[in-house]
Amino acid sequence: MDLSSRYMGLALKNPIVASSSPLTGTLDGIRQIEDAGAAAIILPSLFQEEIEAEEARHDHLTGAHDESWPEARTNFPTLPDAARGPHRYLDLVRRASEMTAIPVIASLNGVTAEGWTDYARSIEQAGAQGLELNIYFIPTDITLDGRAVEQRYLDAVRAVRAAVAIPVAVKLSPYFSAVGHIALELERNGADALVLFNRFYQPDLDIVGLKVLTDLHLSEPHEIRLPLLWLAVLSGRVKLSLAAATGVTTSDEVVKYLLAGADAVMTTSALLRHGPGHVGVLLEGLAHWLDTREFASIDMARGIMSQSRLHEPRAFERANYVKILQGYGH
Ligand SMILES: Cc1cc2nc3c(=O)[nH]c(=O)nc-3n(C[C@H](O)[C@H](O)[C@H](O)COP(=O)(O)O)c2cc1C
């Protein structure tokens, strides 16, 4: 059985990739994930805030901007320890890349085009084989229009693309009015892959303490439906590689994502719940399904249920929605 795939120009021995999480942030975790059979690893993100804090620390130590930014002095004790942040991150990239035989992809997480490029270059020099950009931007300024939000993504991708030669992926928000168009624009601006989707952590309210809650729930299998829709729509229509990134729990979700057109299928919650060894369970189930269907390779199954290859492409469109609503209860 040939499980191999290609994602953002990288050869993968199978489509299962461990997405960013605390599990991929230690050499021990990375080793366990690799041993379990994952084809690639995305390191946890280096956050723009960590980069900025390090720059503030550097400016303080060197005395730069002391007059123009006096609060730097008072802020200094609360800045993150140098043991966290960019230096430690580059060390993780270096050691993980040296230690593993599978691709190590680093992740930069921020909101603006500035401030990433130097680190993108350092990450490349440290040995990362790819870079994922997580532009976690929530446009709470309600005067900002959609075009400005899109431009932010495109500027960030263009800046990073100009700085590095390694492949660049964008972990995309699902909240665009035209997901297909932003995919094409990101492709035009140099992205090699799209990760569908970034899982936004929506707040809850505590109605007793009247506080905003920021608890984190691991994902559930029903959450695959939104990425599944857009994978199916984009597959075969863009040159970018496509990764599915939410809700994988069993090999059923892996199979569905491949049928819709995913080149790589990412997982975090399932590994946090069941441990890194769960990668082996996913791979076994995938191989079994392919075997039962007499598919000799991943390539034979990938995208056969994408919109462009389906006999009934309208299954992904409004017509089906109307049918579903009108058929309820019959
Ligand atoms: C504890 C935790 C930490 C995470 N850290 C990051 C991160 O640093 N950068 C990032 O892009 N995504 C991060 N994620 C998101 C995951 O990479 C993944 O996209 C998300 O959990 C959806 O995948 P899943 O349904 O398989 O869990 C994190 C998720 C969890 C649960």
Side-chain angles (χ1 to χ4, degrees):
M1 176 69 59
D2 178 9
L3 293 184
S4 66
S5 188
R6 274 195 90 70
Y7 173 60
M8 59 194 293
L10 303 170
L12 301 186
K13 61 182 177 179
N14 65 62
I16 306 292
V17 172
S19 37
S20 279
S21 83
L23 253 186
T24 63
T26 67
L27 294 179
D28 193 40
I30 292 170
R31 193 174 289 114
Q32 289 182 45
I33 293 167
E34 183 180 22
D35 289 349
I41 280 170
I42 321 285
L43 300 179
S45 296
L46 173 61
F47 294 89
Q48 185 171 355
E49 290 78 358
E50 292 178 271
I51 295 172
E52 286 166 358
E54 165 132 316
E55 279 164 4
R57 165 186 289 277
H58 179 262
D59 286 351
H60 174 79
L61 291 176
T62 58
H65 309 308
D66 259 8
E67 294 82 47
S68 58
W69 190 34
E71 16 353 335
R73 191 174 294 282
T74 44
N75 280 346
F76 180 65
T78 61
L79 291 174
D81 194 298
R84 263 195 68 78
H87 280 110
R88 182 161 168 186
Y89 194 79
L90 292 179
D91 193 48
L92 176 68
V93 173
R94 196 171 301 111
R95 293 169 69 180
S97 308
E98 282 166 9
M99 184 185 81
T100 59
I102 56 177
V104 169
I105 297 166
S107 165
L108 278 173
N109 193 316
V111 289
T112 58
E114 298 84 37
W116 305 49
T117 45
D118 286 351
Y119 281 95
R121 213 172 282 123
S122 304
I123 280 171
E124 178 178 44
Q125 284 161 0
Q129 283 182 258
L131 185 58
E132 188 175 282
L133 297 182
N134 181 335
I135 305 165
Y136 195 105
F137 177 65
I138 302 176
T140 51
D141 172 357
I142 64 168
T143 64
L144 203 61
D145 67 21
R147 238 176 255 270
V149 175
E150 290 188 2
Q151 198 56 48
R152 197 176 261 266
Y153 277 69
L154 302 180
D155 290 347
V157 168
R158 228 190 356 257
V160 171
R161 177 71 288 160
V164 297
I166 51 176
V168 176
V170 179
K171 199 169 188 178
L172 197 63
S173 155
Y175 306 118
F176 284 97
S177 54
V179 173
H181 186 259
I182 187 73
L184 286 174
E185 285 293 296
L186 288 165
E187 181 178 289
R188 251 180 238 129
N189 283 272
D192 299 285
L194 287 186
V195 181
L196 305 177
F197 287 108
N198 208 348
R199 188 165 176 258
F200 280 78
Y201 294 101
Q202 293 138 346
D204 195 2
L205 296 183
D206 169 359
I207 61 170
V208 177
L210 300 186
K211 281 187 294 212
V212 177
L213 297 173
T214 50
D215 49 348
L216 191 160
H217 293 280
L218 297 178
S219 68
E220 302 290 339
H222 69 84
E223 293 179 50
I224 73 165
R225 290 181 176 217
L226 187 61
L228 198 66
L229 164 67
W230 286 107
L231 276 165
V233 172
L234 295 180
S235 174
R237 295 198 175 113
V238 292
K239 292 192 207 79
L240 297 152
S241 290
L242 298 172
T246 299
V248 169
T249 308
T250 69
S251 57
D252 287 1
E253 290 77 51
V254 178
V255 170
K256 289 177 191 181
Y257 275 145
L258 287 170
L259 290 172
D263 299 295
V265 178
M266 300 186 172
T267 174
T268 282
S269 291
L271 304 191
L272 290 174
R273 272 201 191 101
H274 306 296
H278 193 65
V279 171
V281 177
L282 298 178
L283 284 170
E284 225 170 85
L286 170 63
H288 177 71
W289 186 87
L290 290 166
D291 199 35
T292 314
R293 293 278 162 164
E294 299 184 356
F295 288 122
S297 69
I298 289 284
D299 284 345
M300 288 174 71
R302 178 184 298 108
I304 61 171
M305 294 191 72
S306 61
Q307 191 183 27
S308 55
R309 289 174 67 186
L310 221 52
H311 293 305
E312 184 41 276
R314 294 196 330 159
F316 291 107
E317 293 177 1
R318 181 179 164 83
N320 209 34
Y321 156 74
V322 175
K323 206 165 87 191
I324 291 165
L325 295 193
Q326 292 182 341
Y328 183 76
H330 292 296

